[in-house]
């Protein structure tokens, strides 16, 4: 039997915990307190004798490490690339990680009274600091044309003869699908193309291409053969493959809120329609037309007025709303099917 056949397998549970912090989507991270340290997602080894289920084990790790009790939680995928827990020891176990996405409401509501303090230093970090090219709320991100697309162009030209066999789509086709059909032409022509098609749900595909091209720090750190000098401005790295897990979580949430009311898991108990629109835009990473959004919310029947108003908007009193939970029982796909983004 080969040495690789004898290698032990370990199992980690890793959580991408999302909240809205000052109106922006943020991810709960642990570690990374030192300037050069890479932040990580809360995680821990699954122990069948201690944890009755995978989900209970994960909830326990998050609470013990950060003090937060999770509400909504959903399993993503199992991640197991070689090198994700590189130790340099052939006898070390190969660790698989089951990734989850969890949602919580306002940060100040998330820390319960506890007998013991959290075991680790934790912080909320805006998720766009790890994926700056995913935030289109102020228009096309400059990093696309300044760093990202030129780096991909150089990779396509450099490794054109090393196309991996067995793929249905070529590298150039995958780049066009992930970044928009006219994205590469826009980069080549030095044009700022606001009409470039962009699918906000392809977060993981875009990150995987950047990793494959060696344009993110993780590819160099993991010793990828194709790794080049990472392009400046392509986001902060995370420990292990946690940025890949986070990309998967962002993509899942962006798709999920179109047919499930998951956005209300990060909203306070009462909110204005403007608050709700800003939350949806923050997660989707794009602007929406105000009147179209309000018609969409009205048709979906997701909210109801509380009868109260607020002056926090600084103008006229704004009506306060709450999530109408009956909608979940009324129809199977109760989400916000977003229309076209507002181009700025």
């Amino acid at each position: 039997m080969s040495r690789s056949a004898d290698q032990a397998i370990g199992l980690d549970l890793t959580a991408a915990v999302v909240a809205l912090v000052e109106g922006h989507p943020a991810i709960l991270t642990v570690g990374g307190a030192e300037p050069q340290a890479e932040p990580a997602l809360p995680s821990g080894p699954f122990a069948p004798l201690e944890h009755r289920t995978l989900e209970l084990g994960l909830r326990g790790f998050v609470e013990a490490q950060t003090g937060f009790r999770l509400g909504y939680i959903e399993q993503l995928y199992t991640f197991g690339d070689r090198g994700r827990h590189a130790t340099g020891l052939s006898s070390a176990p190969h660790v698989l990680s089951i990734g989850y996405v969890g949602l919580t409401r306002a940060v100040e509501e998330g820390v319960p009274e506890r007998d013991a303090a959290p075991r680790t230093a934790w912080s909320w970090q805006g998720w766009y600091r790890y994926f700056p090219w995913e935030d289109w709320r102020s228009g096309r991100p400059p990093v696309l044309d300044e760093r990202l697309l030129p780096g991909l162009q150089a990779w396509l030209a450099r490794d054109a003869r090393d196309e991996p066999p067995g793929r249905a789509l070529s590298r150039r086709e995958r780049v066009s699908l992930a970044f928009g059909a006219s994205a590469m032409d826009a980069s080549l022509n030095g044009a700022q193309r606001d009409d470039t098609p962009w699918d906000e749900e392809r977060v993981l595909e875009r990150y995987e291409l950047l990793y494959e091209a060696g344009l993110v720090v993780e590819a160099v750190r993991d010793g990828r053969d194709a790794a080049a000098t990472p392009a400046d401005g392509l986001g902060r790295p995370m420990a292990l493959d946690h940025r890949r897990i986070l990309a998967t979580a962002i993509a899942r949430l962006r798709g999920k809120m179109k047919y499930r009311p998951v956005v209300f898991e990060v909203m306070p108990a009462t909110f204005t329609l403007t608050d709700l629109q800003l939350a949806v835009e923050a997660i989707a990473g794009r602007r929406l037309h105000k009147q179209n959004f309000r018609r969409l919310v009205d048709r979906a029947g997701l909210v109801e007025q509380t009868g109260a108003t607020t002056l926090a908007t600084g103008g006229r009193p704004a009506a306060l709303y709450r999530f109408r939970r009956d909608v979940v029982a009324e129809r199977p796909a109760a989400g916000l099917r977003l229309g076209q983004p507002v181009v700025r």
Side-chain angles (χ1 to χ4, degrees):
M1 184 177 292
S2 67
R3 181 173 61 182
S4 60
D6 293 330
Q7 188 174 23
I9 299 293
L11 183 62
D12 266 4
L13 306 175
T14 305
V17 182
V18 179
L20 287 178
V21 178
E22 297 181 352
H24 300 282
I27 195 75
L28 185 60
T29 63
V30 295
E34 298 299 325
Q36 302 302 319
E38 294 176 341
L41 302 175
S43 64
F46 176 66
L49 297 181
E50 299 177 23
H51 307 138
R52 185 167 60 85
T53 67
L54 296 171
E55 182 177 316
L56 288 175
L58 180 79
R59 290 180 183 275
F61 287 131
V62 173
E63 185 175 348
Q65 293 174 15
T66 68
F68 281 82
R69 292 196 181 112
L70 296 181
Y72 177 90
I73 188 172
E74 179 178 340
Q75 189 176 126
L76 297 170
Y77 299 113
T78 299
F79 301 82
D81 288 1
R82 283 190 301 166
R84 67 177 308 272
H85 277 252
T87 64
L89 300 175
S90 60
S91 59
H94 178 66
V95 180
L96 307 179
S97 182
I98 300 178
Y100 287 79
V101 58
L103 303 178
T104 188
R105 288 187 175 178
V107 174
E108 61 269 17
E109 299 175 2
V111 182
E113 293 183 1
R114 295 176 46 84
D115 295 330
R119 292 200 308 249
T120 59
W122 59 269
S123 65
W124 290 99
Q125 309 247 350
W127 75 22
Y128 290 121
R129 73 181 305 182
Y130 300 102
F131 299 93
W133 56 89
E134 295 291 344
D135 188 3
W136 287 62
R137 288 174 294 173
S138 298
R140 183 180 176 88
V143 69
L144 275 171
D145 298 296
E146 294 173 0
R147 302 290 183 181
L148 190 153
L149 293 176
L152 288 172
Q153 281 285 4
W155 171 59
L156 291 172
R158 183 179 68 245
D159 296 336
R161 297 181 181 179
D162 299 326
E163 190 81 25
R167 284 189 178 272
L169 299 176
S170 68
R171 284 172 173 162
R172 182 168 290 276
E173 288 171 327
R174 289 164 54 213
V175 168
S176 293
L177 283 173
F179 292 94
S182 59
M184 302 310 290
D185 292 336
S187 176
L188 284 173
N189 297 332
Q192 295 290 328
R193 292 287 299 276
D194 287 335
D195 61 341
T196 298
W198 180 269
D199 184 347
E200 70 267 14
E201 294 183 39
R202 294 184 180 270
V203 187
L204 179 61
E205 295 172 55
R206 287 187 278 270
Y207 176 77
E208 294 283 17
L209 280 164
L210 295 174
Y211 182 88
E212 189 177 339
L215 295 174
V216 291
V217 172
E218 289 92 334
V220 178
R221 183 194 65 196
D222 296 348
R224 294 278 299 184
D225 292 339
T229 301
D232 293 336
L234 291 193
R236 187 179 179 186
M238 300 189 82
L240 308 174
D241 55 359
H242 287 190
R243 191 150 55 141
R244 178 178 281 110
I245 296 174
L246 176 54
T248 309
I250 296 173
R252 178 69 61 86
L253 286 178
R254 286 180 168 182
K256 191 96 174 183
M257 70 178 178
K258 296 175 184 177
Y259 60 92
R260 289 287 186 273
V262 293
V263 67
F264 297 101
E265 299 288 344
V266 298
M267 298 294 296
T270 61
F271 47 83
T272 67
L273 291 182
T274 297
D275 294 334
L276 179 59
Q277 180 173 345
L278 291 174
V280 172
E281 290 177 338
I283 294 172
R286 60 185 177 96
R287 292 293 185 197
L288 300 169
H289 189 278
K290 179 178 178 179
Q291 296 306 320
N292 288 346
F293 178 81
R294 297 199 172 191
R295 282 193 291 267
L296 175 67
V297 171
D298 183 60
R299 288 197 304 268
L302 296 174
V303 300
E304 60 188 4
Q305 290 196 42
T306 66
T309 60
T310 178
L311 295 173
T313 57
R316 293 182 300 176
L320 286 172
Y321 291 78
R322 59 176 166 248
F323 173 51
R324 194 171 69 84
R325 296 191 175 278
D326 292 345
V327 74
V328 177
E330 290 172 0
R331 60 182 186 275
L336 293 166
R337 298 188 180 277
L338 307 180
Q340 293 298 314
V342 172
V343 176
R344 290 175 177 252

